[in-house]
Each structure stands twice: as C-alpha cells, then as structure tokens.
C-alpha cells in the first residue's frame, strides 16, 4: 500500500515550488516524464522534522505562494513567462517546477554527501526569505501616455551609459540588489553578466518605464544621487530632442520652388542636388561665357577642397582645427539656405553631426521680431523653440551637451554691429538688446561651448570683426553634372524633364547660368507653367532675355524684401539705371570687376547692389604682397551684359536718348514720331560689329529681346511713359537679315542668327519676311 505522505508529495506540483537549487551545481533537464529525476528518498532519521514532517498545513508560504515567474524549464529553454503560466494553469500533476530559493522559501536542501538525493529540511524562521512582490516600490500609471522619444534603443543606451559610470564594487552591489529585489529578471545570479547582457535581460522582462524605474530605485539605494540625476537628464534631453526634431521637420524638411511661396511644397530629398562647397573663399564669380574668354578676376586662384554639408563642423574637422565658428558665403541664389536645410535634415535623421545634442536654427529674419525688446538669448531660444523650456541651466553649460546654432542670412540683419564700443555679454540668461546679443555671439562670448554657423552673402562678412576666430567656406552652386540631375528630380514626369534638359542644352548661356540653383528654379517654374497650361509638347521660350528678366525681378523684389524695405518704383528704376550705366561703360572697356572709385563715380550703393538686390557679389583680391583689395563684380558676366542692355533700352524708352549717338529728344512723343526706334537698333548692331572679340554680342541679343511683347510686358514697370512702344519685330528681322546678307563680318553671322531667335524667329522665317 502506498504511503499517504509519499503519495501526497508525488502528486502535488507544489513541491517544485518549494524546491530551491540556489547555490548548488546540480543540473536538471526539466523533463515531464522522467520519474527518476523527481524521486524523493526516505527521510534520514537524524533529521528532526517535528511531529508531522509532511503536514502541509505548516507550509502556508508554499501553498499560497504566487505563481512562479521562472520555471526550471524556462532557465534552460528560455521560454516566455506567459507560456509557463499557461502550462501551470493546465494543472500538470507530474511536473515539478524548480525556483530560486531567494524567490520562495525552501523545505528541501541538497545533501552534501549525496547531491542526487533530495532530503527534507526543517524550515527555520531565520532562514525564511520574506515574500517579495515582482516589482516592489514601482508604480506605473496605466493611463499615462508614453512619450514617443522613449524607445528601446534609447532606454538600453541610457541605462547602459549610467551603469558604466559605476565603480566595479558598486556595479556588483547593483547586480546583487537586482538579483534579490526583482526575481523575475534572472534565472541565475547576474554577477557574471556584463552590462550589455544585464540591461538586455532587464528590458526583456519589464517595460521601458519600469526598467528605468528599477534602475533609478537601485541607484537611490546605492546613494548615487548624481547618477540618478544623470539618468533623468538623459531622459529629459531625449524628449526635448525628439520634440525639437519634429518642429524642425515641419520648418525645414520641405521646400517650395514657387517664389510666391504659394506653390506645392516638396520634400527636400525629392529636389536636393549636391552643391559645390569649397574650403576656399573669395573665388570670385563664375566667368564661364558663351562668347568671351574672361581671365580669372584676380580672386583666389586656389581651387580648394570640395566639401559636403556633413563635413561642416564635423568631429574630424574640429579635431584638426578646433574651430567652432564657420562662415558660409556665396552669391545670391548659390544655394546657401538649401545647404543649411540639408544639414538640419541630416541631423534630424541622424545621418550626420551626431556629436551635437541640440541644433537651433535662428534665421536673422526671425530674429528681427525681437528688435526693440530687451531679451536674453535663452528667451529667444525658448520663444522660437518652446520645447526647450524643459532643459535646465546645466544643459547649456555642459561639455557633454553640445549645441549648434545656425544663423542664416547675416546680410538680412540691418542692425548696427559695432564691435568696438559694445556692451560685453557673457551670460545667455542676461536680458539685453538684439544688437548686443548678435555682436557677442559673433564674438563667441555667449555659450562659448557651442558651435556656430553663419551664412551670408559675401558683403555680409564685413560685419564680422577681423580678429574673430573663424573659418570661411563658400557655396558655388551646381557643378555641370548636377544641373541635369536637378531638372530630373524637379519634374517627376520623365518626358517633361527630358524636354527641359534639352531646352537648356540648346542655349549655351542657359547651360552656363544654371550653375546658380536660383536660375534653375526660374527656368523650371516657367517650364512648369507652360506644361500645365499647354501640355508637355508646348513650345518653350526661345528668348534668353525673358529668363533673365524673370531672374532680375526675383532678385530685386522677392529676395530683396527679406533684407530691406520695398523700393518705390522711381527709386528702383533709378538704381537700375545707375547700375546699368556702370555695366555698359565697363562692358565697352572689357572690364568685369568694379573698384571703389567706380562705385563713387556712378553713384551706386554697394549695399543695394550686393546685399539687397544680389545682382553683384564681393570678393577680395591680392594684387600685391601683403595687400588686399575688396572688389565687386556682377554675379555673372551675362548679368552685366543684361543690365547694360536694360540701361540702353530704358534710356531710349523713357528719355529718347540713343546712347550710341548721344542724342536726346526732350519730348517723348516727339521722339517716337521724329526718331525711329530702329535707328537705335541700327546703331547698336553697328557698334557690336566693330568688336571682333564679340564683347557686345550677348548684349545685342538682350537688346533685341526687349522688343518682344512678352518682355515688354515684364519691363513695363520700369517705364515712365504710357506711350505705346511700336512693334519692331519685322523691322528688326529685316535689319538683321540685311547685315547677314552684306557679309561684312562673316565671323559674326552666328550671333546675328541668335538675335533672330531672341525675336522668336528662325533664319528661314526672317528671310521670308
């Protein structure tokens, strides 16, 4: 007959819940059908088990123990805790599940002489381990919404970085406390685990919030307050960075190719094309020309090293130079602002600059809102980016919290930057005026641990003091290989993209001028309009004058509004006439750079020409050893030729003045009756034919192009009279045909043919009229 006590033991799985293998080197395979494994030998007489050793009424801690989280099987097969609980609910009476002794009290111990025999051991009050909940001292609010920045990757790295700061002794204490307090975490003692395995196991067992709470609780028990603060700081910074990235995505991840900002926005990745950025500055304008061979304008003759936006203030560059201030210059429309957008988006997407904890773009056009106020730099940052209010004072001063500030458009700032007589400001929390803040930022007195990037048109670098410690790089626009790529990305329809590429390749001046991303945008916008209204097979404008007039209006109006007040029509016209007169005079002299004496002679404001309108650019030449000269030129020689043609055209249109004959008709009506328009064009053709080098060829094309209806409509705003301009297309074509037939200048025939194209006529059409 079976012993009732023995039957009671073998028929209950609660024995497994009371058995502990802690501290012993006995291996079990956890098989469900291996009866020998769970054989329980007879009790030893020497043990005093009390009056009723098998009376399970004394085993309250076993009978009422919570469901064991880790079975022996899970230790070997690493099955999920939920699977084990499901198996227990099925009520298998033959399985004995072994648990650690520190999780639940043991009534049996391994005999030292015969480790394969299990003998009952009397339970002492002193040996009993108090029953612990799974996660003591942890409380989570089920209704609390997890911040999206709290990810597995961040939690793993945050806990790992924190634990790495513990000493070896404290780390062992941490593991011991984790082993005792949170039994679900491990199947065996974690003392042999490295930090990676330790944190990995913790995240397997608990949620992200609970894992952080466990780490915080144990660090507090270890009285490591600084590490508790460090872990909390990491979490706050992570939340701020996430929210900041979302804000920057909304502001900088999309671009609008329409200058009115009413067009459809596209993601930067869909339209961005690599820009030519060089380590050298003062390179002067692009002087590639369809007709002329222009010598480099005494500017920087060193080609420099090409850069990408990822190289700007990268870890590698900072290790080499230790510079923290970079000035990015470039002519109007060269792509500076787009390059900044690329840098910002790469930081958001963790493609570059990951040594930077926070990146704060502060365009000068946004800083203008703080003019006339007393504010601190901190208030400016928190106003533009409210999510930064979570950051603490030490975050702005910590070496492990690198901040990068991007000030786009220094040329748009109209404040008086006095670097000699200005108040010193070193604390970013001290209120002051915007002018003082900007000066001290450029002096690198504010947040001196930060990294600073400033973009400006070349003239803007005069604002930076000569003794400032900074490096300068230049954005040069598109290389030739990137021009086609731009239009391919701009037009999703391959047929349209192919049409546009064929179009710009048909006119060499277009192809050259497309080194400016802004000009590419002008061409693309016009082609897009035509495709939308007339279809893909519609005829595209053959006139280069039309595209240059569009570029002129974009620069002097849409772009100018960011930097200065809008000019009255008469002031705008006066400025263009002065600049055009200078351009024409220089063109006849074969000169492409403007000195200070030239500016004074013609009464042109370099501020208006370089900064406000962007029609000109500035560079430094070194004609002599130890001598620098500031030189101004037009953004491209063809822009100089266009403005020269505009000057000649408006002089005749508004004043009745034929520049080539120096005759003036005082009354416009009398001029149109007594002086034929073609007299001016005949004079222009004769003057152009006099120069064998063709220095007036492109000028002549622009001058003829301004007679067409579409160009007249665009230029009407610069005209002072409402007298209707006579249609001279037929007469102009006849004049060109006559000059071609005379063949007095056989080498100039091709240019005359181009003049016909400006009129919208082919050679055969001109001959038939």
């Amino acid at each position: 007959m079976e012993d009732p006590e023995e039957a009671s033991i073998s028929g209950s799985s609660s024995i497994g819940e009371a058995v502990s293998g802690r501290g012993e080197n006995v291996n079990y395979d956890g098989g469900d059908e291996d009866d020998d494994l769970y054989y329980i030998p007879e009790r030893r007489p020497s043990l005093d088990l009390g009056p009723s050793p098998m009376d399970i009424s004394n085993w309250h801690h076993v009978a009422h123990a919570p469901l064991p989280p880790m079975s022996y099987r899970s230790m070997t097969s690493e099955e999920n805790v939920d699977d084990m609980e499901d198996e227990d609910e099925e009520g298998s009476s033959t399985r004995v599940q072994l648990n650690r002794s520190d999780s639940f009290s043991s009534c049996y111990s391994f005999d030292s002489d015969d480790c394969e025999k299990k003998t009952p051991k009397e339970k002492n009050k002193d040996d009993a381990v108090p029953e612990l909940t799974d996660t003591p001292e942890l409380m989570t609010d089920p209704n609390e919404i997890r911040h999206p920045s709290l990810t597995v990757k961040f939690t793993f790295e945050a806990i790992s970085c924190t634990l790495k700061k513990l000493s070896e002794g404290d780390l062992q204490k941490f593991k011991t406390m984790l082993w005792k307090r949170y039994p679900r975490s491990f199947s065996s003692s974690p003392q042999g685990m490295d930090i990676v395995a330790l944190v990995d196991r913790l995240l397997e067992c608990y949620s992200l919030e609970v894992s952080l709470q466990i780490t915080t609780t144990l660090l507090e028990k270890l009285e490591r307050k600084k590490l508790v603060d460090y872990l909390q700081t990491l979490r706050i910074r992570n939340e701020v960075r996430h929210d900041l990235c979302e804000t920057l995505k909304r502001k900088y991840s999309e671009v609008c190719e329409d200058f009115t900002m009413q067009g459809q926005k596209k993601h930067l990745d869909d339209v961005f094309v690599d820009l030519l950025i060089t380590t050298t500055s003062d390179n002067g304008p692009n002087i590639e020309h369809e007709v002329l061979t222009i010598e480099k304008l005494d500017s920087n003759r060193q080609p420099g090293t090409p850069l990408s936006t990822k190289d700007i203030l990268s870890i590698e560059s900072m290790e080499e130079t230790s510079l923290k201030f970079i000035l990015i210059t470039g002519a109007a429309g060269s792509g500076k602002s787009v390059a900044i957008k690329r840098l910002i988006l790469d930081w958001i997407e963790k493609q570059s600059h990951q040594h930077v904890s926070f990146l704060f773009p502060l365009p000068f056009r946004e800083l203008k809102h703080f003019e006339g106020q007393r504010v601190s730099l901190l208030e400016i940052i928190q106003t533009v980016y409210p999510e930064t209010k979570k950051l603490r004072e030490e975050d702005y001063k910590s070496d492990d919290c690198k901040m990068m500030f991007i000030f786009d458009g220094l040329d748009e700032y109209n404040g008086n930057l006095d670097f000699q007589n200005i108040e010193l400001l070193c604390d970013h929390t001290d209120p002051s005026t915007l002018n003082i803040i900007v000066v001290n930022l450029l002096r690198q007195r504010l947040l001196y641990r930060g990294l600073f990037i400033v973009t400006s048109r070349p003239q803007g670098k005069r604002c930076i003091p000569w003794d400032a410690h900074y490096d300068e790089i230049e954005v040069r626009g598109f290389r030739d290989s990137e021009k086609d790529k731009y239009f391919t990305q701009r037009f999703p329809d391959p047929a349209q993209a192919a049409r546009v590429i064929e179009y710009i390749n048909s006119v060499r001046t277009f192809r050259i001028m497309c080194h400016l991303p802004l000009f590419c945008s002008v061409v693309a916008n016009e082609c897009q309009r035509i495709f939308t209204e007339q279809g893909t097979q519609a005829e595209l404008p053959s006139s280069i004058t039309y595209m240059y007039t569009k570029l002129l209006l974009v620069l002097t109006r849409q772009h100018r509004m960011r930097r200065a007040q809008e000019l009255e029509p008469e002031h705008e016209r006066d400025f263009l006439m002065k600049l055009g007169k200078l351009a024409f005079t220089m063109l006849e002299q074969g000169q492409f750079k403007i000195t200070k004496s030239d500016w004074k002679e013609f009464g042109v404001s370099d501020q208006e020409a370089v900064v406000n309108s962007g029609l000109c650019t500035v560079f430094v030449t070194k004609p002599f050893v130890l001598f620098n000269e500031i030189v101004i030129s037009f953004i491209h020689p063809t822009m100089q030729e266009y403005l020269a043609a505009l000057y000649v055209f408006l002089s005749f249109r508004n004043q009745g003045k034929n520049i080539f004959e120096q005759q003036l008709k005082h009354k416009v009506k009398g001029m149109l009756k007594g002086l034929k328009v073609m007299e001016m064009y005949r004079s222009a053709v004769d003057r152009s034919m006099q120069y064998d080098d063709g220095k007036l060829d492109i000028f002549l094309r622009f001058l003829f192009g301004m007679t067409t209806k579409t160009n007249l409509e665009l230029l009407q705003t610069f005209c002072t009279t409402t007298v209707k301009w006579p249609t001279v297309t037929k007469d102009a074509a006849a004049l060109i045909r006559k000059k071609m037939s005379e063949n007095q200048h056989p080498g100039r025939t091709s240019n005359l043919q181009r003049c016909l194209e400006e009129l919208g006529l082919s050679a055969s059409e001109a001959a038939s009229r």
Side-chain angles (χ1 to χ4, degrees):
M1 183 174 178
E2 189 179 15
D3 189 341
E5 293 181 355
E6 196 168 316
S8 174
I9 295 173
S10 62
S12 174
S13 63
S14 63
I15 291 179
E17 297 173 2
V19 175
S20 171
R22 185 176 221 213
E24 303 293 340
N25 298 322
V26 179
N27 297 323
Y28 297 96
D29 60 9
D32 293 341
E33 299 179 357
D34 191 351
D35 295 332
D36 294 337
L37 178 63
Y38 303 108
Y39 168 71
I40 301 177
E42 295 181 359
R43 299 188 301 274
R44 294 186 178 185
S46 59
L47 289 175
D48 183 8
L49 301 178
S52 181
M54 298 306 295
D55 184 2
I56 62 175
S57 62
N58 294 328
W59 296 359
H60 297 293
H61 60 286
V62 174
H64 300 288
L67 183 67
M70 296 294 293
S71 69
Y72 176 77
R73 181 176 178 179
S74 73
M75 296 180 196
T76 58
S77 64
E78 305 241 347
E79 290 185 6
N80 193 289
V81 174
D82 295 332
D83 296 336
M84 294 182 284
E85 293 178 354
D86 294 338
E87 291 173 0
D88 187 70
E89 290 174 358
E90 293 174 1
S92 175
S93 60
T94 59
R95 173 172 301 187
V96 178
Q97 296 179 344
L98 306 181
N99 299 281
R100 299 197 303 264
S101 60
D102 60 345
S103 299
F104 305 98
S105 300
S106 175
C107 293
Y108 288 86
S109 64
F110 290 104
D111 185 85
S112 59
D113 297 329
D114 187 2
C115 62
E116 294 186 358
K117 296 181 180 181
K118 298 177 184 175
T119 58
K121 176 181 177 181
E122 184 178 6
K123 175 176 175 259
N124 291 326
K125 212 177 224 183
D126 297 337
D127 295 337
V129 178
E131 181 179 341
L132 295 175
T133 62
D134 189 23
T135 56
E137 304 174 15
L138 299 177
M139 296 183 66
T140 58
D141 184 358
N143 298 322
E144 183 180 359
I145 299 176
R146 174 187 293 177
H147 195 279
S149 66
L150 188 60
T151 62
V152 174
K153 181 179 180 181
F154 164 75
T155 308
F156 180 87
E157 292 177 349
I159 296 177
S160 298
C161 290
T162 304
L163 296 184
K164 287 178 182 178
K165 294 181 177 293
L166 287 171
S167 64
E168 186 62 32
D170 283 345
L171 181 59
Q172 295 303 320
K173 291 179 183 178
F174 181 91
K175 293 178 180 179
T176 301
M177 293 171 66
L178 185 61
W179 169 245
K180 289 183 177 180
R181 286 178 166 271
Y182 305 101
R184 279 195 178 185
S185 304
F186 306 94
S187 58
S188 61
S189 174
Q191 295 297 336
M193 283 187 172
D194 59 13
I195 291 178
V196 172
L198 185 75
V199 179
D200 185 58
R201 184 59 184 161
L202 188 63
L203 295 180
E204 284 182 4
C205 297
Y206 302 102
S207 68
L208 304 180
E209 294 90 345
V210 171
S211 298
L212 288 168
Q213 287 187 46
I214 289 174
T215 306
T216 301
T217 300
L218 297 185
L219 290 174
E220 288 175 345
K221 293 294 182 182
L222 289 173
E223 297 182 350
R224 297 301 301 270
K225 182 67 170 57
K226 288 186 178 180
L227 288 186
V228 172
D229 292 341
Y230 175 74
L231 184 58
Q232 180 65 12
T233 297
L234 291 180
R235 190 166 182 176
I236 292 175
R237 290 178 182 175
N238 186 54
E239 292 180 2
V240 173
R241 171 167 177 147
H242 176 275
D243 294 341
L244 178 63
C245 287
E246 292 300 311
T247 299
L248 296 180
K249 279 182 185 178
R250 292 191 296 270
K251 294 180 65 174
Y252 295 100
S253 64
E254 293 183 331
V255 293
C256 183
E257 295 287 349
D258 186 0
F259 301 117
T260 62
M261 300 304 289
Q262 302 299 320
Q264 182 181 3
K265 292 185 177 181
K266 297 182 180 180
H267 195 276
L268 182 65
D269 291 335
D270 296 333
V271 297
F272 179 80
V273 178
D274 290 335
L275 295 159
L276 175 59
I277 306 173
T278 64
T279 54
T280 58
S281 58
D282 293 318
N283 293 285
N286 183 328
I287 56 174
E288 187 179 3
H289 197 274
E290 180 179 344
V291 178
L292 302 176
T293 300
I294 303 174
E295 185 180 356
K296 193 167 177 60
L297 307 181
D298 296 329
S299 56
N300 197 330
R301 297 177 181 271
Q302 300 298 324
T305 303
L307 300 173
S308 72
T309 55
K310 296 180 180 180
D311 299 322
I312 301 173
L313 287 180
S314 63
I315 294 180
E316 295 76 15
S317 65
M318 292 176 61
E319 289 176 350
E320 293 178 2
T321 64
S322 72
L323 287 172
K324 298 181 179 180
F325 185 5
I326 294 293
L327 175 64
I328 302 177
T329 62
S334 60
K336 300 181 296 298
S337 294
V338 176
I340 290 301
K341 285 188 175 183
R342 177 77 273 169
L343 188 152
I344 294 170
L345 196 60
D346 284 344
W347 178 78
I348 293 173
E349 297 175 349
K350 299 186 177 180
Q351 299 297 317
S352 69
H353 295 88
Q354 290 313 289
H355 59 294
V356 176
S357 301
F358 299 104
L359 189 151
F360 299 118
L362 297 171
F364 278 96
R365 70 184 65 136
E366 291 188 24
L367 293 180
K368 289 180 181 179
H369 299 307
F370 299 95
E371 289 181 341
Q373 306 177 34
R374 285 192 65 82
V375 294
S376 66
L377 177 60
L378 180 62
E379 289 173 334
I380 292 176
I381 296 172
Q382 292 180 348
T383 301
V384 180
Y385 302 105
E387 51 271 20
T388 58
K389 292 178 181 178
K390 292 182 181 179
L391 294 177
R392 296 171 290 187
E393 179 69 18
E394 55 267 26
D395 294 323
Y396 291 91
K397 299 180 178 181
S398 176
D399 288 327
D400 64 350
C401 185
K402 191 69 69 178
M403 294 184 179
M404 178 181 284
F405 297 86
I406 300 178
F407 299 93
D408 187 22
L410 176 61
D411 51 284
E412 299 178 29
Y413 183 67
N414 300 321
N416 180 26
L417 300 179
D418 184 355
F419 290 94
Q420 305 301 324
N421 306 301
I422 202 70
E423 176 185 341
L424 298 181
L425 189 65
C426 300
D427 193 334
H428 64 285
T429 63
D430 288 346
S432 187
T433 64
L434 179 62
N435 192 52
I436 293 176
I437 291 175
V438 171
V439 169
N440 282 277
L441 277 171
L442 297 178
R443 279 290 193 186
Q444 301 180 62
R445 296 191 183 110
L446 280 170
L447 297 176
Y448 62 90
R449 289 186 176 88
L451 305 177
F452 299 91
I453 297 177
V454 177
T455 72
S456 174
R457 290 179 180 177
Q459 184 80 343
K461 66 182 180 182
R462 293 184 179 181
C463 300
I464 300 177
W466 65 271
D467 57 344
H469 189 53
Y470 71 96
D471 199 5
E472 183 179 351
I473 60 179
E474 184 174 351
V475 179
R476 301 281 293 166
F478 291 148
R479 302 177 181 87
D480 198 61
S481 58
E482 267 63 52
K483 297 172 185 177
D484 292 347
K485 186 177 179 181
Y486 172 86
F487 293 107
T488 302
Q489 294 190 182
R490 176 69 188 276
F491 292 89
D493 185 346
Q496 293 182 357
R499 284 284 327 271
V500 177
I501 293 173
E502 181 184 7
Y503 171 62
I504 65 168
N505 288 339
S506 66
V507 182
R508 187 157 185 262
T509 293
F510 277 170
R511 184 71 184 181
I512 294 171
M513 200 60 180
C514 278
H515 77 279
L516 285 178
L518 180 61
F519 188 80
C520 291
S521 296
V522 170
V523 173
N525 286 340
E526 187 60 28
C527 292
Q528 185 67 62
R529 182 188 64 80
I530 295 174
F531 292 152
T532 303
E533 295 176 357
Q534 306 175 32
T536 302
Q537 299 305 318
E539 185 178 356
L540 297 177
S542 60
S543 170
I544 63 173
T545 310
Y546 182 78
M547 292 300 180
Y548 272 76
T549 304
K550 285 277 189 176
L551 178 63
L552 173 72
L553 295 177
V554 169
L555 286 171
T556 58
R557 294 187 177 171
Q558 284 95 332
H559 282 214
R560 187 189 186 284
M561 290 172 60
R562 302 174 184 173
R563 294 161 179 80
Q565 295 180 352
E566 184 178 0
L567 281 177
E568 295 294 331
E570 58 272 15
H571 293 157
E572 182 181 34
R573 185 169 52 250
D574 181 63
F575 161 69
L576 290 176
M577 288 295 290
K578 290 180 179 178
L579 191 60
K581 183 178 181 181
L582 173 60
F584 180 76
T585 303
M586 291 173 53
L587 190 60
E588 285 210 305
Q589 296 174 355
Q591 183 180 344
F592 294 94
K593 63 180 180 179
I594 313 166
T595 62
K596 287 184 178 180
S597 59
D598 296 325
W599 289 115
K600 294 179 180 179
E601 180 182 351
F602 289 90
V604 179
S605 166
D606 56 345
Q607 173 73 18
E608 188 64 40
V610 177
V611 177
N612 294 346
S613 71
L615 295 171
C616 297
T617 187
V618 167
F619 56 96
V620 177
T621 65
K622 298 180 180 179
F624 308 106
V625 178
L626 300 179
F627 179 77
N628 294 339
E629 182 183 10
I630 297 176
V631 176
I632 299 176
S633 71
F634 293 89
I635 56 174
H636 191 264
T638 54
M639 179 55 72
Q640 177 178 341
E641 291 164 319
Y642 173 84
L643 290 171
L646 183 64
Y647 162 68
V648 172
F649 175 79
L650 291 180
S651 294
F652 188 85
R653 179 73 172 82
N654 295 337
Q655 304 169 2
K657 182 179 181 181
N658 186 345
I659 297 300
F660 301 102
E661 295 182 359
Q662 296 299 318
Q663 294 176 353
L664 180 64
K665 298 295 182 180
H666 298 286
K667 295 183 179 180
V668 176
K669 291 184 180 180
M671 175 270 294
L672 290 177
K673 291 180 180 180
L675 178 65
K676 293 182 180 180
V677 177
M678 290 310 302
E679 292 183 12
M680 185 265 291
Y681 279 96
R682 187 176 293 106
S683 302
V685 172
D686 291 340
R687 182 70 64 88
S688 175
M689 294 298 106
Q690 293 176 8
Y691 299 108
D692 294 334
D693 60 357
K695 63 183 177 183
L696 292 184
D697 283 5
I698 302 295
F699 158 83
L700 193 62
R701 294 183 204 175
F702 285 132
L703 190 59
F704 273 105
M706 290 174 186
T707 67
T708 62
K709 181 180 178 181
T710 53
N711 288 322
L712 283 174
E713 291 174 351
L714 292 176
L715 295 172
Q716 185 60 43
T717 182
F718 302 122
C719 298
T720 59
T721 177
T722 58
V723 176
K724 186 176 180 180
W725 182 263
T727 302
V728 296
T729 303
K730 292 182 180 180
D731 295 335
L735 173 64
I736 296 172
R737 181 187 58 188
K738 180 181 178 182
K739 291 294 182 181
M740 293 174 67
S741 63
E742 291 175 354
N743 200 27
Q744 295 180 359
H745 306 279
R748 320 307 304 284
T749 303
S750 61
N751 182 59
L752 292 175
Q753 172 64 38
R754 291 291 188 181
C755 291
L756 284 176
E757 293 175 4
E758 284 300 309
L759 295 172
L761 301 171
S762 64
S764 59
E765 290 175 323
S768 64
R769 297 195 177 190

